[in-house]
Amino acid sequence: MLENDIRTSVKAALEEDLGYQAIPSHTDSNDEAIKRTESDITAQLIPADRHAQASLITREEGVFCGKAWAEQVFNQLGGEVALHWHVDDGDLVVPNQLLCELSGPARDILTGERTAMNFIQTLSGTATLTKKYVDKIASTHTKLLDTRKTIPGMRTAQKYAVTCGGGKNHRIGLFDAFLIKENHIMACGGIGKAIEKARELHSDKLVEVEVESILELQQALEAGSDIIMLDNFDITMMLEAVELNNRLADSEQAKLEVSGNVTIDTIADFAKTGVDYISVGALTKHLQALDLSLRLKS
């Protein structure tokens, strides 16, 4: 799924930048690759036979992510630009560190640089922010989860970046696990009925229920939810939830997830309550892109 998404998202990004409708990647020809570069009217100022070298650096510290996306950019531009990497996804980087050396047709390098850097800066921003949150709860057993609050079209990419920053993935989409929320509960006629129906439909899928009170927590535990999301619980309620869950036999316990009001300042206190997971939408929607620079060598 990720490999397919990389090809698709890079193709869309190049079409967005070059202003024409490319043929599907699996039938691309050399002529199509050339046409892409020629769509960059500024790159046409440079002789077609001019070769160049370039260096990609970061201007700030962070966690690097995005190699496969950058490589796919230049592959779709014809594959004549060689990339020599000095980092891997998940590596910590510092200001002015060399990330990659590029060599090949100058036109191709300059046509692809911004698209490649856009992917790297965004995914590195996601990975960097994730690590900051992970570091805050490193002394606890609580795991950091992402959410579906991702940039449209970048779901699998950002979730990959979260793992590079040390986080874990929640469900990928609406197809791989149940997340029964307030409106689902109301429409189904209660927590117990919603969980029962979920088990009937897909007995192999994880069932998670979002609860807003201790009473709803008890109902979700009695109905056998695999995971229970404690929505906007305060610390006192979190502690009570953990205690109630721990009173049950191991086979009857659920995993507890905290969601809502989680910030870089509150996450450590939330984790100390003993919950299993904390999900944070900010990882993929409040990120700050990593500052990068590509320098062409004469």
Side-chain angles (χ1 to χ4, degrees):
M1 184 176 182
L2 180 61
E3 291 178 359
N4 181 67
D5 285 352
I6 291 172
R7 290 191 297 270
T8 302
S9 60
V10 166
K11 179 174 180 288
L14 286 172
E15 289 179 351
E16 179 179 60
D17 225 12
L18 295 174
Y20 81 101
Q21 194 67 34
I23 60 176
S25 295
H26 65 278
T27 59
D28 273 357
S29 66
N30 232 11
D31 290 341
E32 288 299 323
I34 293 170
K35 190 190 302 179
R36 287 181 178 154
T37 303
E38 290 179 348
S39 297
D40 179 355
I41 61 174
T42 311
Q44 290 183 55
L45 300 174
I46 303 166
D49 61 353
R50 167 78 186 278
H51 274 59
Q53 295 181 324
S55 297
L56 177 65
I57 66 167
T58 174
R59 296 186 182 276
E60 58 184 336
E61 66 179 27
V63 177
F64 176 82
C65 183
K67 281 178 65 173
W69 287 262
E71 290 171 350
Q72 185 66 209
V73 166
F74 291 104
N75 283 341
Q76 292 194 23
L77 287 175
E80 295 186 49
V81 175
L83 284 72
H84 177 63
W85 292 98
H86 293 266
V87 293
D88 287 315
D89 289 344
D91 284 354
L92 297 176
V93 295
V94 297
N96 299 312
Q97 181 172 341
L98 177 63
L99 305 177
C100 183
E101 292 176 288
L102 302 87
S103 61
R107 284 187 179 184
D108 288 6
I109 292 174
L110 295 176
T111 295
E113 66 166 318
R114 174 44 55 196
T115 300
M117 289 167 64
N118 282 349
F119 282 110
I120 293 173
Q121 70 184 21
T122 301
L123 299 181
S124 296
T126 299
T128 299
L129 184 57
T130 299
K131 186 179 186 304
K132 290 179 180 178
Y133 275 87
V134 168
D135 287 348
K136 288 287 187 178
I137 61 174
S139 63
T140 73
H141 82 273
T142 305
K143 304 300 182 185
L144 178 69
L145 299 178
D146 54 24
T147 71
R148 287 170 48 241
K149 297 173 183 177
T150 52
I151 298 171
M154 293 284 288
R155 172 68 54 78
T156 57
Q158 283 195 286
K159 283 184 171 284
Y160 170 76
V162 165
T163 67
C164 290
K168 304 293 183 183
N169 294 149
H170 206 283
R171 60 179 181 160
I172 301 299
L174 299 174
F175 58 91
D176 55 328
F178 288 97
L179 179 48
I180 302 169
K181 297 191 174 188
E182 179 183 9
N183 288 335
H184 301 107
I185 293 169
M186 184 177 298
C188 290
I191 289 174
K193 290 182 179 179
I195 293 176
E196 182 181 1
K197 185 64 175 179
R199 299 292 188 201
E200 290 176 4
L201 289 172
H202 297 283
S203 60
D204 59 327
K205 305 289 187 184
L206 279 174
V207 176
E208 179 169 2
V209 177
E210 180 183 84
V211 301
E212 299 179 349
S213 67
I214 295 298
L215 176 60
E216 289 185 345
L217 167 70
Q218 292 171 326
Q219 293 172 356
L221 286 170
E222 291 171 2
S225 180
D226 297 311
I227 307 173
I228 300 175
M229 180 185 289
L230 311 177
D231 183 41
N232 291 312
F233 274 38
D234 59 30
I235 288 180
T236 300
M237 294 172 69
M238 292 178 202
L239 289 168
E240 185 176 355
V242 171
E243 183 180 355
L244 284 171
N245 193 43
N246 287 342
R247 288 178 190 168
L248 301 175
D250 290 347
S251 61
E252 297 175 347
Q253 290 181 13
K255 296 292 186 180
L256 300 181
E257 173 188 340
V258 163
S259 178
N261 298 320
V262 183
T263 69
I264 199 72
D265 297 319
T266 62
I267 191 169
D269 289 335
F270 290 177
K272 289 174 184 176
T273 63
V275 295
D276 300 286
Y277 307 116
I278 298 178
S279 54
V280 180
L283 303 181
T284 51
K285 70 187 183 81
H286 291 166
L287 64 100
Q288 178 177 323
L290 198 68
D291 190 10
L292 306 173
S293 176
L294 186 139
R295 299 169 178 171
L296 200 69
K297 300 176 183 179
S298 58

